[in-house]
Amino acid sequence: MTTHSPPVPCHLNLVDGRWVDGERRPNLNPARPGETVAEYAAADRAVVKEAVDAAGRARPGWASTPVGERMRLLDRIGATILRRVEELAVLLSREEGKLLAEARGEVTRAGQTFRYYAHQLLQPEGEIYASTRERASAEVRRRPLGVVGVITPWNYPWAIPAWKVAPALAYGNTVVLKPAELVTASAGEMARIITDAGVPPGVFNLVMGDGPTAGEELLTSDGIDGVSFTGGTATGRHVARRCVEYGNKRFQLEMGGKNPLVVLDDADLEVAVRCALDGGFFSTGQRCTASSRLVVQSGIHDRFVDALTKATRALRVGDPLDERSQLGPVASPDQLARNLEYVEIGRREGATAVAGGDHTAEEGQFMRPTLFVGARNDMRLAREEIFGPVSCVIKVDDFDEAVAVAGDTRYGLSSGIVTTSLSAAERFKRLSRSGIVTVNLPTAGTELHLPFGGTGESNHGPREQGAYARDFYTVPVTCYTGW
Ligand code: NAD
């Protein structure tokens, strides 16, 4: 008797309301090598061009669609995502390796984000000013930016596209989304939900494919007015150059991080360990806000290292669909190789791995969470973003040294402090150079109604999320009226 595996679904590009095929590529499960989760149709440059043209044609109609209608559609998209959380979370978990519980949280966040921006449209649209001229008035209105290219990374396949696409559509823009190659199944499902909600053809388009082809076509196209990008700093720099060279497009970049968590002598040890464990290792360390540098004062250093080493070794690495797992696989073979290379770099630089530092014996792209002690802030281990479950402890003498070490980075996304001193917490909030500061909480973890973004090489352009998102997706128009 022959057995048949169920057919693997294939996600197609969405262009002007039509599903467009392309070269079929597999989307593999990082926890089970050889298991194809889905296939996707890669878009070549011609398909991307068609999508941009379609978004351009749809733009005037969507910009003049009544706000009530845009609200209704966004609300419907959010409601559908929320209704399908379980099924979409399993897919996300299988294609990216995120723990099922984390995947449920992420998909839920995406649904809530669409609903949030539906309701943001009821906020005031502009301001009225007195004019200094006689018999005249002045007002500032907002108009949509136009056609927006959205380029996203693989680590949050639902949350990040949602926090870009939802405000873009809400404020009257049309969109071409290019998701990361590793997570096209989630993007394909999002596109299906947006279309089924009744969003008109051309308003939202999806093109899947690699950066140098599909992404590059978006960056160099005359038909794109702005690019919202999240990904690595090197790619972000390239996006910036292209946007300036090709039509001076508006651009917004959210990039890497090397985020510090400061632990002071007066910290609650349990809170400190919890923050370090969550910030450093949860989501397999694949968060731009991960705390990969633990800046620890000398008085608590040894107790903290002992407790964190035990807790790190106890973390259960395993199948993300198994509710007992606490850490899933690394998302890709390339990322795993990079993580292991940095472990070697750390060792060569003289730091000591007291937990992890290797592959697990299991099949799949699994890696044990790795904790280094004896690191210095000038080591590559402490300066370069790894984007894996690797943290290092840097010992400091006092608060001032901790602040100096925490701020000594070219990045500036998030930073945290664990302390029971109100005064130290307040001073840290004022002195920190990052865009997000946490006290007695992990450096990772954001809320959708609050602005998100960094400084230095972590960010360029206006903040994302919350009401601040409007600044990127709209153009202020100053109107003078004489009467
Ligand atoms: P990446 O820079 O490799 O890719 C990001 C996106 O850019 C992908 O869709 C990719 O296809 C596209 N791309 C690549 N080359 C391109 C080109 N030449 N033209 C146009 N597009 C191109 O990043 P990644 O590996 O997907 O994600 C990991 C990185 O993302 C990490 O550095 C992480 O810190 C960062 N990240 C930042 C935030 C944030 O909000 N600051 C959030 C999540 C991830």
Side-chain angles (χ1 to χ4, degrees):
M1 197 178 87
T2 51
T3 54
H4 296 280
S5 317
V8 171
C10 181
H11 294 94
L12 303 182
N13 301 289
L14 176 65
V15 177
D16 208 8
R18 289 175 297 111
W19 297 103
V20 177
D21 214 336
E23 183 197 312
R24 301 281 178 110
R25 296 184 186 164
N27 183 341
L28 303 174
N29 183 340
R32 296 164 200 217
E35 181 186 301
T36 302
V37 176
E39 288 184 331
Y40 71 97
D44 58 19
R45 280 181 172 257
V47 170
V48 179
K49 191 173 176 321
E50 267 184 66
V52 174
D53 289 348
R57 286 192 301 275
R59 171 188 166 164
W62 183 245
S64 56
T65 298
V67 157
E69 174 65 2
R70 295 210 298 262
M71 278 181 73
R72 195 178 64 76
L73 293 170
L74 263 83
D75 207 41
R76 190 184 281 174
I77 295 166
T80 308
I81 295 172
L82 292 173
R83 202 173 46 247
R84 293 180 51 193
V85 163
E86 195 57 31
E87 163 213 346
L88 298 172
V90 170
L91 181 64
L92 164 54
S93 192
R94 288 178 62 225
E95 81 165 342
E96 197 262 359
K98 196 161 286 201
L99 293 183
L100 189 54
E102 290 175 336
R104 285 189 192 110
E106 180 179 343
V107 175
T108 302
R109 171 66 63 93
Q112 289 168 339
T113 300
F114 276 96
R115 299 191 99 170
Y116 172 82
Y117 283 106
H119 294 273
Q120 273 301 108
L121 289 175
L122 298 180
Q123 294 299 315
E125 192 185 279
E127 304 102 46
I128 296 176
Y129 289 85
S131 168
T132 53
R133 286 179 270 192
E134 243 180 78
R135 294 172 67 82
S137 63
E139 73 207 270
V140 180
R141 296 177 168 217
R142 297 262 172 180
R143 72 160 170 253
L145 174 58
V147 178
V148 179
V150 170
I151 301 180
T152 50
W154 48 261
N155 66 329
Y156 282 101
W158 279 90
I160 294 178
W163 82 47
K164 293 175 188 293
V165 171
L169 294 179
Y171 296 120
N173 303 280
T174 55
V175 171
V176 182
L177 167 65
K178 202 229 61 83
E181 303 84 310
L182 287 180
V183 291
T184 42
S186 292
E189 292 300 318
M190 183 182 283
R192 167 70 67 191
I193 290 171
I194 292 174
T195 318
D196 288 352
V199 169
V203 170
F204 172 84
N205 305 273
L206 171 70
V207 292
M208 297 176 287
D210 41 48
T213 314
E216 199 66 22
E217 179 63 32
L218 279 185
L219 300 180
T220 54
S221 164
D222 286 342
I224 294 279
D225 299 292
V227 174
S228 182
F229 166 86
T230 299
T233 296
T235 318
R237 233 180 258 132
H238 175 77
V239 170
R241 276 195 296 268
R242 285 286 194 251
C243 285
V244 171
E245 283 164 12
Y246 287 83
N248 203 22
K249 299 177 177 61
R250 184 182 282 196
F251 59 93
Q252 170 182 57
L253 314 173
E254 287 298 343
M255 301 170 286
K258 193 74 191 175
N259 311 294
L261 177 74
V262 170
V263 178
L264 293 186
D265 282 349
D266 63 22
D268 177 323
L269 186 63
E270 209 177 295
V271 174
V273 169
R274 207 166 52 230
C275 289
L277 211 60
D278 175 325
F281 304 130
F282 288 5
S283 297
T284 320
Q286 299 171 151
R287 293 187 285 190
C288 49
T289 47
S291 26
S292 45
R293 290 188 296 143
L294 305 170
V295 182
V296 184
Q297 203 176 348
S298 46
I300 197 172
H301 176 274
D302 293 356
R303 279 181 296 135
F304 173 77
V305 165
D306 277 354
L308 182 61
T309 304
K310 281 195 194 89
T312 304
R313 288 183 185 152
L315 284 175
R316 281 188 304 275
V317 180
D319 187 337
L321 291 174
D322 181 341
E323 304 270 5
R324 290 166 303 179
S325 300
Q326 292 172 293
L327 230 68
V330 175
S332 70
D334 286 353
Q335 185 63 54
L336 179 61
R338 180 185 166 93
N339 296 349
L340 295 172
E341 189 188 332
Y342 270 98
V343 171
E344 277 319 302
I345 290 171
R347 286 194 172 119
R348 277 204 304 276
E349 289 180 311
T352 308
V354 289
D358 53 4
H359 251 283
T360 65
E362 286 178 62
E363 249 196 306
Q365 292 148 208
F366 292 98
M367 175 183 174
R368 271 190 254 279
T370 300
L371 179 66
F372 275 101
V373 296
R376 287 189 325 270
N377 204 45
D378 61 357
M379 292 177 172
R380 287 181 64 193
L381 181 65
R383 300 205 81 73
E384 297 173 15
E385 184 185 51
I386 302 171
F387 217 55
V390 183
S391 276
C392 64
V393 175
I394 302 166
K395 197 197 246 185
V396 292
D397 285 332
D398 53 27
F399 176 85
D400 290 339
E401 193 189 354
V403 171
V405 168
D408 178 17
T409 169
R410 61 196 180 103
Y411 295 111
L413 188 50
S414 66
S415 61
I417 190 165
V418 186
T419 177
T420 50
S421 157
L422 188 56
S423 150
E426 263 320 298
R427 279 187 293 148
F428 188 73
K429 284 189 239 174
R430 284 158 208 235
L431 293 172
S432 173
R433 294 172 46 248
S434 59
I436 299 166
V437 181
T438 65
V439 177
N440 297 325
L441 287 171
T443 56
T446 62
E447 299 184 28
L448 68 88
H449 62 302
L450 296 171
F452 177 86
T455 61
E457 294 196 10
S458 294
N459 166 277
H460 182 95
R463 289 282 181 263
E464 301 205 75
Q465 301 200 61
Y468 285 67
R470 190 178 71 162
D471 290 342
F472 182 74
Y473 295 105
T474 61
V475 178
V477 184
T478 311
C479 308
Y480 297 100
T481 309
W483 42 275

